Amino acid sequence: MSRLFSVLSPAETTMSAVAASLLSVATIGVVLAAFSTATPSVTDHDVVVMERVTITAHRTPA
């Protein structure tokens, strides 16, 4: 026969779950706020140059 043993009372278990949920929501909020205030470092004056590259090799039988 197995018995369930818990160190915390039901009220303490509920409060722990609520606190963990609130901490999770607060952490996600902080991370989203940090990303929303970030600005890209690329300016309008940066130029990206793409060059065509051709790769050739002898065919070998598989």
Side-chain angles (χ1 to χ4, degrees):
M1 183 165 89
S2 64
R3 295 185 183 185
L4 180 63
F5 177 75
S6 178
V7 177
L8 301 176
S9 70
E12 290 172 331
T13 302
T14 302
M15 289 305 296
S16 295
V18 169
S21 295
L22 289 175
L23 182 61
S24 173
V25 169
T27 302
I28 291 171
V30 167
V31 170
L32 289 177
F35 276 108
S36 69
T37 59
T39 57
S41 62
V42 178
T43 62
D44 292 337
H45 303 293
D46 290 341
V47 177
V48 177
V49 177
M50 303 288 284
E51 294 184 11
R52 186 178 188 127
V53 176
T54 304
I55 300 174
T56 59
H58 295 290
R59 289 187 147 208
T60 58

